[in-house]
Amino acid sequence: MSGVHNFNPGPAVLPAEVLGEVREEMFDFKGTGISILETSHRSKEYQEVNDRARSLLLELLGLGDEYEAMFLQGGASLQFVQVPMNLLGPGETADYVVTGAWSAKALKEAKLRGKVNVAADTKTDRGYTRIPRPEELKLTPGAAYVHVTSNNTISGTQWHELPDTQGVPLVVDASSDCLWKPHDYSNLGLLYAGAQKNLGPAGATAVVIRKDLLDKCGGDVPIILRYKTQAEKGGLYNTPSCFAVYVIMKVLEWVKARGGAEAMERRNREKAELVYGVIDKFPRVYSSPVERESRSCMNVVWHLPSPEKEAAFLEGAARRGMIGLKGHRSVGGCRASLYNSLPVESARALAEYMEEFAAS
Amino acid sequence: MSGVHNFNPGPAVLPAEVLGEVREEMFDFKGTGISILETSHRSKEYQEVNDRARSLLLELLGLGDEYEAMFLQGGASLQFVQVPMNLLGPGETADYVVTGAWSAKALKEAKLRGKVNVAADTKTDRGYTRIPRPEELKLTPGAAYVHVTSNNTISGTQWHELPDTQGVPLVVDASSDCLWKPHDYSNLGLLYAGAQKNLGPAGATAVVIRKDLLDKCGGDVPIILRYKTQAEKGGLYNTPSCFAVYVIMKVLEWVKARGGAEAMERRNREKAELVYGVIDKFPRVYSSPVERESRSCMNVVWHLPSPEKEAAFLEGAARRGMIGLKGHRSVGGCRASLYNSLPVESARALAEYMEEFAAS
């Protein structure tokens, strides 16, 4: 769109094809003569959108009938609460692997609800710079679940393989990398993802849950916050964030048409290699605080030698139509978010500019 | 739009002017070169949208600095939980006035959280057909709050004046009639409204709270569900439902440009009188189960003499481009939703058709 390269960390870039369709249908959704924004969530037309989005999500994740998919509200932040409310019974322990600011927040909410064990915490005085190795995880035998954040948007680290929980339900916050590549989900109990990074716009949260876990919830949990309440209605117990789900459906169609998670992985690795390649080529200009094996393909973070250099870098980027490159306010530096929807050309333009800046 | 009259109960009709602007800005929001759907909630551009929507809401409600406005997620259904979580302390009692299916649901969630008193319940064997008179309310002296549903979408009743709670904080679920007319809010503690009926699209919930109530919440409440958490950040503690808030802002601008709540009341009364006029003129064809003094100006409900007549009526309406007229599945019959955004011409078209149908 108009020469802008959108590296926003979320809400983030969407496929131009999707925005074009949304625009096209703004006044007339599927021949109804009204906008999707004015369409009842009980209408046949919306039910089709919701069902299609749910089945596409399961299909693209490679999950079968033993899972239920739904689109809820409240973001990952509400899932930090709903997960222990629903899955952490009295006397049970939940394992949390803390690899960044978001998993720390998830842990904090869980502590208000029940017994938790920190299976690993990779924070050092330089912040969170890596994903723990399998042998570092102190897992509780028979834990209610193991919670991980699969990609850490702020610190720029990512689990390239999900941990083996030996049959304990794995709970994954995949907000910033859902469908970035195929994963082995054989231990998956629950996956949640705020949509605004890798799945669509803000306002809806994808939740995928193994059906046998739906019955775990206690009767003291608020009715609207029980997964079972929503799962029984396909996420339509109350009015959902219809428009967000409609855009998510289109993004999922777009992912499927391009070859699914396998194709996304090739595309994402290509983009990540372009940017990391320049960082590695100019170590005196660009420094990454992240351990090499833990590097995220979604959020690449780096620092420049001085605040002045950083400001000059960002200014030059802005002049070239590259936006969203400022690092998270809590860690500073620069960050490029390379989600599924980001075109390879945007990553290439950034890499070229970084090369040029380093040489100047 | 294309001759359709949209009487959907929610998600519902939006002003054509608003949809036009949304469409126009789909690829380029405020000269940024990207869509609002791709814009960070931390950007200057989105902060302006959020702040504008919050201040417009307070202004149009006629509320001052002692209130905080924010746009949350989860719908009114999550407010059913958040209200008692935040405002019902140990040893306190909350009064609930039950006038329909939604207040009954609010009561059910509150009962899971603390002590409640049913101040009135207008259900009879014919369902909920009226709003209680002031002298019927059995209010608890010193109650934590009094909860009312200001308009009952399913049963078609409405509080034309809010009850006098004698200084006890009044909590209003205004999901289906927020800003339908000016109200005396002198006792208002909290107002919430799922946006998808009278304020905008689905996906955001307006919450207005008197600031002194923000400190009531206990430390065991989930952090994300404390009003204080969100109020301190203007609703931006976590990523909000940005697009929904953006459309709400435009709808509020539209309301303001037309003269605010006073103008909406004139417009809404005109529409309601058109439809109720025909119902009253043909009592053998159209029967309203609602007590006359409790009639809603937002949702007009009526029955026809037989299921066959009703089917014929709805078919004829559909042929004339009138949609969303089927009553709620729990009560049957017909229902016309006449929210702020519905053009007077749509109500007139419906009244003319009803007159024609009755005479045929």
Side-chain angles (χ1 to χ4, degrees), chain A residues 14 38 73-74 109 223-224, chain B residues 14 38 73-74 109 223-224:
Chain A
L14 291 171
E38 307 171 298
Q73 295 185 64
E109 292 279 22
I223 299 159
I224 185 73
Chain B
L14 292 170
E38 308 171 298
Q73 294 186 64
E109 292 280 21
I223 299 158
I224 184 72

Side-chain angles (χ1 to χ4, degrees), chain A residues 278-346:
Chain A
V278 188
I279 290 174
D280 290 339
K281 191 171 167 187
F282 300 99
R284 284 194 220 161
V285 184
Y286 305 113
S287 63
S288 162
V290 175
E291 182 195 72
R292 184 171 284 260
E293 297 72 36
S294 301
R295 282 177 169 181
S296 168
C297 288
M298 299 281 99
N299 309 98
V300 183
V301 300
W302 68 91
H303 290 272
L304 283 115
S306 69
E308 294 72 31
K309 278 273 185 193
E310 189 181 301
F313 176 85
L314 291 170
E315 267 174 48
R319 276 199 303 275
R320 286 162 179 80
M322 299 180 192
I323 64 165
L325 287 169
K326 209 167 156 54
H328 191 268
R329 61 198 183 284
S330 65
V331 295
C334 299
R335 169 173 58 177
S337 297
L338 314 175
Y339 302 124
N340 284 356
S341 300
L342 185 87
V344 176
E345 306 85 75
S346 289

Side-chain angles (χ1 to χ4, degrees), chain B residues 164-359:
Chain B
D164 179 5
T165 58
Q166 309 276 342
V168 169
L170 177 68
V171 174
V172 184
D173 176 357
S175 293
S176 50
D177 71 351
C178 188
L179 293 177
W180 84 279
K181 70 159 228 172
H183 264 303
D184 173 1
Y185 286 122
S186 49
N187 287 301
L188 189 72
L190 189 146
L191 177 147
Y192 62 90
Q196 68 271 11
K197 296 175 190 290
N198 223 20
L199 292 178
T205 312
V207 173
V208 170
I209 184 169
R210 213 175 63 203
K211 287 176 181 166
D212 64 293
L213 295 173
L214 289 171
D215 287 318
K216 245 202 116 171
C217 184
D220 59 329
V221 170
I223 299 158
I224 184 72
L225 294 177
R226 299 175 194 170
Y227 290 125
K228 191 171 185 169
T229 302
Q230 289 287 6
E232 282 174 346
K233 306 284 186 186
L236 300 183
Y237 171 76
N238 66 331
T239 314
S241 194
C242 303
F243 183 81
V245 177
Y246 155 82
V247 181
I248 290 169
M249 179 198 70
K250 290 187 179 292
V251 172
L252 294 175
E253 295 280 18
W254 180 92
V255 169
K256 182 176 172 168
R258 268 143 200 84
E262 290 81 3
M264 290 300 120
E265 181 175 12
R266 285 192 297 277
R267 180 180 158 95
N268 288 325
R269 290 201 185 279
E270 182 181 354
K271 291 181 283 181
E273 279 161 22
L274 280 164
V275 183
Y276 283 118
V278 188
I279 290 175
D280 291 339
K281 189 170 168 187
F282 299 99
R284 283 194 220 162
V285 184
Y286 306 113
S287 62
S288 162
V290 175
E291 183 196 70
R292 185 172 284 259
E293 296 73 36
S294 301
R295 281 177 169 181
S296 168
C297 289
M298 299 281 100
N299 309 98
V300 183
V301 300
W302 68 91
H303 290 271
L304 283 116
S306 69
E308 294 72 31
K309 278 272 183 194
E310 188 182 303
F313 176 84
L314 291 170
E315 266 173 50
R319 276 198 305 274
R320 285 162 179 79
M322 298 180 193
I323 64 165
L325 287 169
K326 210 167 155 54
H328 191 268
R329 60 198 184 286
S330 65
V331 294
C334 298
R335 169 174 56 178
S337 297
L338 314 176
Y339 302 124
N340 284 356
S341 300
L342 186 87
V344 175
E345 306 84 76
S346 289
R348 186 168 293 120
L350 173 61
E352 285 170 6
Y353 166 58
M354 287 174 76
E355 180 125 15
E356 189 186 310
F357 183 86

Side-chain angles (χ1 to χ4, degrees), chain A residues 1-2 4 6 8-16 19-20 22-27 32-42 73-78 81 85 105 108-109 112-113 196 200-205 219-226 237-243 247 323 329, chain B residues 1-2 4 6 8-16 19-20 22-27 32-42 73-78 81 85 105 108-109 112-113 196 200-205 219-226 237-243 247 323 329:
Chain A
M1 268 85 58
S2 50
V4 171
N6 183 351
N8 272 336
V13 63
L14 291 171
L19 291 176
V22 170
R23 194 188 143 104
E24 186 62 35
E25 296 172 358
M26 186 52 67
F27 278 98
T32 55
I34 61 171
S35 174
I36 178 76
L37 290 162
E38 307 171 298
T39 301
S40 170
H41 61 301
R42 304 287 174 211
Q73 295 185 64
S77 296
L78 189 55
V81 177
M85 262 188 181
K105 281 195 177 190
K108 201 169 169 188
E109 292 279 22
L112 289 173
R113 295 290 311 175
Q196 68 271 14
T205 312
D220 59 329
V221 169
I223 299 159
I224 185 73
L225 295 176
R226 299 175 193 170
Y237 172 76
N238 66 330
T239 314
S241 194
C242 302
F243 183 80
V247 180
I323 64 165
R329 61 198 183 284
Chain B
M1 268 85 60
S2 50
V4 171
N6 184 351
N8 272 336
V13 63
L14 292 170
L19 291 176
V22 170
R23 193 188 145 105
E24 186 62 36
E25 295 172 358
M26 187 52 67
F27 278 97
T32 55
I34 61 171
S35 174
I36 178 76
L37 289 163
E38 308 171 298
T39 301
S40 170
H41 60 300
R42 304 286 174 213
Q73 294 186 64
S77 295
L78 189 55
V81 177
M85 263 187 179
K105 281 195 177 190
K108 201 169 168 185
E109 292 280 21
L112 289 173
R113 296 290 311 176
Q196 68 271 11
T205 312
D220 59 329
V221 170
I223 299 158
I224 184 72
L225 294 177
R226 299 175 194 170
Y237 171 76
N238 66 331
T239 314
S241 194
C242 303
F243 183 81
V247 181
I323 64 165
R329 60 198 184 286

